[in-house]
Amino acid sequence: MVEQGKKIWRDGEILDREAGDRTSLLTHTLHYGVGAFEGIRAYQRADGKTYIFRLQEHITRLFDSCKLVKLEPRVSLQQVCDGCSALLAAEGMKDGYLRPVIMYGPGAMGVLPADNTVETFVVAWSWGAYLGSEGLEKGIRCKISPFCRHHISVAFAKGKITGQYVNSVMAKQDAKLSGFDEALMCDVNGFVCEGTGENVFVIKNGRITTPPLGASILAGITRDTVMVLAREEGIPLVEANLTRDELYLADEVFLTGTAAEVTPVREVDHRPIGAGARGELTRRLQQRYFDVVKGSDDSHPEWLSLVE
Ligand code: PMP
């Protein structure tokens, strides 16, 4: 169990958990999966203050996800941003993971939402290294999943839509039951797309490759962060389709995500990646990432929202 906070932000109000943690069994989203969500981290940085990382970008993506499925929030983007900060302040959490959700409430119970309410909430919990602190240092073991990523004509890869995550849950479950830490999913044509909640990067001969946004991938905010940092570090980077053999033959592989941060991959399908340990470029980028999100690297103040 995660350590959930004591408060919930719900449609503009901060409520005690008991009052706010209630949802009707006739919640349309529970039955059909049309809801939008985000995962956001806040860190206490070296100056002792807590900052939410790339809050505006996360909430913009939340509203974009709503647009994709024609879900119309009753609150504004700014209200949700303010709600995230207010919730963390009310919790007194120094480091935390924020989970905003926008969903249909009760109303019509057929597939087509009609008079259903639209509800927005944000909850927070404490979350350490999602793929383990050992994984951050030594790298994790991945499996190419038998579950393909949604075809672009089937679902919205660019949205964090609740129901779409059945695909990720199945892939993750299969990987864990098979003794691996994480699954990597390919599209229906066999190109490597992403992890169940992470984007993927491959390094070969000093050059980084990651699948392009046209692939069936989420436009990860950590992906974007790492791409900016790689360019600043002078490491060549291209966005191109990746095949499974390019993955197996890479010098380094790493995953990025709000929860997973920058996690090295040391093995894919029983094949060691490079030396079978965290690679040097991965270590450099990981270090830079942690310096930016929670250290004293002040080169990107535009990514940090102070919690007051
Ligand atoms: N892909 C998928 C499928 C995800 O769920 C996530 C997590 N949001 C990511 C990639 C990484 O995105 P981000 O860096 O914005 O957290």
Side-chain angles (χ1 to χ4, degrees):
M1 281 283 278
V2 294
E3 191 199 320
Q4 195 192 324
K6 295 184 180 58
K7 308 272 182 193
I8 293 176
W9 183 90
R10 236 178 139 141
D11 290 310
E13 270 184 283
I14 298 221
L15 303 170
D16 285 336
R17 179 152 32 128
E18 298 75 62
D21 205 352
R22 282 165 202 228
T23 296
S24 162
L25 296 179
L26 294 186
T27 295
H28 192 278
T29 299
L30 179 66
H31 297 244
Y32 303 112
V34 180
F37 73 104
E38 270 303 317
I40 313 171
R41 272 196 196 261
Y43 295 95
Q44 182 175 31
R45 298 185 82 247
D47 64 6
K49 297 178 187 157
T50 295
Y51 299 83
I52 304 178
F53 191 63
R54 302 196 72 172
L55 174 62
Q56 193 76 26
E57 291 89 331
H58 278 284
I59 305 303
T60 299
R61 188 172 66 187
L62 178 69
F63 277 66
D64 284 350
S65 296
C66 288
K67 183 174 183 182
L68 287 172
V69 292
K70 292 180 66 60
L71 182 59
E72 287 176 21
R74 289 188 291 131
V75 289
S76 68
L77 195 147
Q78 193 54 48
Q79 274 179 295
V80 184
C81 286
D82 294 345
C84 288
S85 295
L87 179 69
L88 277 185
E91 294 283 6
M93 260 186 202
K94 294 288 188 194
D95 293 279
Y97 182 85
L98 290 158
R99 169 56 54 81
V101 178
I102 302 184
M103 63 181 190
Y104 283 118
M109 282 315 290
V111 163
L112 186 69
D115 57 347
N116 302 73
T117 56
V118 176
E119 301 174 15
T120 304
F121 66 83
V122 186
V123 284
W125 62 80
S126 299
W127 230 7
Y130 176 64
L131 295 167
S133 41
E134 198 184 305
L136 284 178
E137 233 177 83
K138 299 202 166 129
I140 59 163
R141 298 176 58 247
C142 290
K143 176 192 180 190
I144 298 273
S145 184
F147 292 95
C148 288
R149 206 76 188 119
H150 295 290
H151 186 275
I152 49 170
S153 305
V154 172
F156 298 113
K158 298 296 167 284
K160 278 185 78 74
I161 313 298
T162 56
Q164 291 183 185
Y165 275 76
V166 171
N167 179 241
S168 282
V169 175
M170 291 301 104
K172 180 87 185 186
Q173 206 168 51
D174 171 75
K176 291 296 277 187
L177 287 171
S178 310
F180 293 85
D181 302 305
E182 184 54 290
L184 290 171
M185 285 181 287
C186 299
D187 65 17
V188 292
N189 296 311
F191 289 107
V192 177
C193 290
E194 59 184 343
T196 62
E198 307 89 11
N199 292 106
V200 61
F201 290 75
V202 157
I203 306 177
K204 184 76 180 178
N205 298 329
R207 190 178 78 159
I208 306 179
T209 306
T210 195
L213 291 180
S216 189
I217 63 165
L218 187 73
I221 291 164
T222 321
R223 172 185 182 275
D224 180 72
T225 303
V226 164
M227 286 170 69
V228 169
L229 299 180
R231 290 196 178 112
E232 288 175 4
E233 295 289 309
I235 309 169
L237 186 148
V238 290
E239 292 172 80
N241 282 333
L242 276 175
T243 60
R244 188 195 280 226
D245 39 16
E246 285 175 296
L247 201 65
Y248 291 163
L249 298 177
D251 298 328
E252 303 180 32
V253 174
F254 65 87
L255 305 180
T256 64
T258 298
E261 300 166 309
V262 178
T263 297
V265 174
R266 70 180 152 91
E267 186 189 310
V268 180
D269 290 348
H270 304 287
R271 291 155 178 88
I273 301 300
R278 175 175 63 184
E280 179 49 26
L281 288 179
T282 304
R283 193 203 54 76
R284 243 173 83 191
L285 284 169
Q286 196 185 39
Q287 184 64 53
R288 187 74 209 288
Y289 181 78
F290 284 128
D291 285 349
V292 167
V293 298
K294 61 180 177 188
S296 50
D297 182 331
D298 292 327
S299 59
H300 288 282
E302 73 283 11
W303 289 343
L304 306 173
S305 297
L306 177 65
V307 176
E308 290 174 292

